Amino acid sequence: MFRKCVFLLLALYCADGVLSSSLIPPCKIEDEACIEKSVMAASSKLIQGIPELGIETSDPMFIEKIEGKISILKYTFFNTTVVGFKNCKISDIKVSKDLTNLHYVMNCPQLKLKGLYDINGRLIILPVEGKGDYELITGKYKVVVDSELKVTPGTDGKSRLAIKNFKLKCTPLSAIHFDFRNLFNGQKDLSDAVHKFANESWEDVANLVQDPVFYPEIGKIIKNVNKYLKSVPLEEYKLN
Ligand SMILES: *[C@@H]1O[C@H](CO)[C@@H](O)[C@H](O)[C@H]1NC(C)=O
Ligand SMILES: *[C@@H]1O[C@H](CO)[C@@H](O)[C@H](O)[C@H]1NC(C)=O
């Protein structure tokens, strides 16, 4: 009897959208502490992924193509796997009262990227070229995200919240490990010189190349957040 009840309860709960109602604990817009807790709880589940809603995991994250074109340097990363977003801590969350702006900070202890690269140009002072396997292991990274929000009516007439666009400010806080195999077609002395330079000047190198890498990554996360937000009416997590 007891079992049957539990089962029925579960079935009812699921049918009623347990996912949508439990993922973002509801808050009043002026209750910053509540919002902070809610966003943290929801973000860790969203990073894990929600297959029922077609939301894939963000850790590991797969990115087919990352393209950087700055005046002196062109680089493309193919088939990159990024590991580490689940360990990023979100802080400093600010939502404007009119629900038009969202600000938050992600503090990531380490992100590991692995895939194929193709690079050509100048790395600040050194010429660099080659293609092959690459691995990047960052140290601590601070990513400040500023985004615009939009409230639109859903097909059921209830409002939905969405993140419309975003701007990033990325800051590397500790040394980065660079490993680009087969630079200069395998000429070791040239490759060593580039790795030594990147190793010693990790901060300058990161500041030069990081944005085209972070934008598609955070873009993927935000796309998943929006998929989720589309499934839940705003009134279910915004209390009046
Ligand atoms: C990336 O992976 C896909 C699927 O495995 C493969 O078809 C493609 O050739 C890869 N890209 C590169 C540049 O190797
Ligand atoms: C990389 O840099 C660190 C310090 O920034 C140093 O301890 C290490 O020996 C360097 N490694 C190489 C391969 O140059």
Side-chain angles (χ1 to χ4, degrees):
M1 181 63 201
F2 175 70
R3 267 203 189 158
K4 199 169 171 193
C5 278
V6 170
F7 175 76
L8 268 176
L9 263 175
L10 272 176
L12 271 176
Y13 210 42
C14 293
D16 198 29
V18 58
L19 279 168
S20 46
S21 38
S22 64
L23 197 47
I24 310 182
C27 295
K28 289 189 175 179
I29 192 75
E30 58 275 3
D31 188 347
E32 286 180 15
C34 176
I35 290 175
E36 183 124 352
K37 254 179 151 170
S38 252
V39 170
M40 276 181 204
S43 67
S44 86
K45 286 186 192 130
L46 279 166
I47 295 280
Q48 280 170 36
I50 309 173
E52 297 89 326
L53 294 175
I55 297 172
E56 61 200 26
T57 180
S58 299
D59 194 358
M61 174 188 286
F62 178 79
I63 305 186
E64 222 173 324
K65 195 172 180 186
I66 292 170
E67 223 174 353
K69 276 187 196 145
I70 37 189
S71 60
I72 50 166
L73 185 69
K74 288 187 176 38
Y75 53 101
T76 314
F77 297 153
F78 299 99
N79 290 352
T80 297
T81 302
V82 188
V83 172
F85 278 113
K86 69 167 178 286
N87 299 321
C88 302
K89 295 270 175 294
I90 294 184
S91 63
D92 212 18
I93 302 159
K94 293 193 175 67
V95 189
S96 66
K97 297 248 182 326
D98 60 359
L99 281 178
T100 55
N101 285 285
L102 168 68
H103 166 99
Y104 62 95
V105 178
M106 287 172 74
N107 277 294
C108 302
Q110 182 176 72
L111 295 169
K112 282 191 199 181
L113 288 80
K114 213 174 174 161
L116 296 164
Y117 78 94
D118 188 333
I119 194 165
N120 200 322
R122 283 182 88 78
L123 192 60
I124 306 174
I125 55 160
L126 287 180
V128 59
E129 62 151 298
K131 56 164 100 174
D133 294 320
Y134 86 95
E135 185 174 47
L136 277 172
I137 305 176
T138 76
K140 283 185 202 148
Y141 241 102
K142 179 179 174 188
V143 181
V144 181
V145 186
D146 273 291
S147 52
E148 276 177 53
L149 298 172
K150 195 174 182 190
V151 177
T152 46
T155 45
D156 56 5
K158 292 180 181 172
S159 297
R160 298 292 192 285
L161 188 65
I163 299 175
K164 239 174 59 181
N165 51 43
F166 63 97
K167 261 201 218 141
L168 304 177
K169 183 161 186 339
C170 306
T171 313
L173 298 175
S174 56
I176 297 169
H177 170 82
F178 299 88
D179 186 4
F180 285 75
R181 303 280 165 86
N182 198 45
L183 272 181
F184 302 100
N185 244 322
Q187 295 182 65
K188 191 172 180 313
D189 47 345
L190 290 173
S191 169
D192 284 353
V194 167
H195 281 95
K196 184 169 182 294
F197 172 76
N199 187 19
E200 283 163 3
S201 314
W202 55 270
E203 206 169 357
D204 296 334
V205 171
N207 281 319
L208 181 71
V209 302
Q210 66 197 357
D211 280 2
V213 180
F214 271 102
Y215 272 86
E217 292 174 351
I218 304 300
K220 275 209 156 188
I221 293 175
I222 287 183
K223 210 170 136 193
N224 286 336
V225 170
N226 280 339
K227 253 189 205 170
Y228 179 71
L229 290 176
K230 213 170 168 179
S231 76
V232 210
L234 178 61
E235 65 190 36
E236 284 187 24
Y237 54 92
K238 179 181 174 279
L239 302 174
N240 289 315

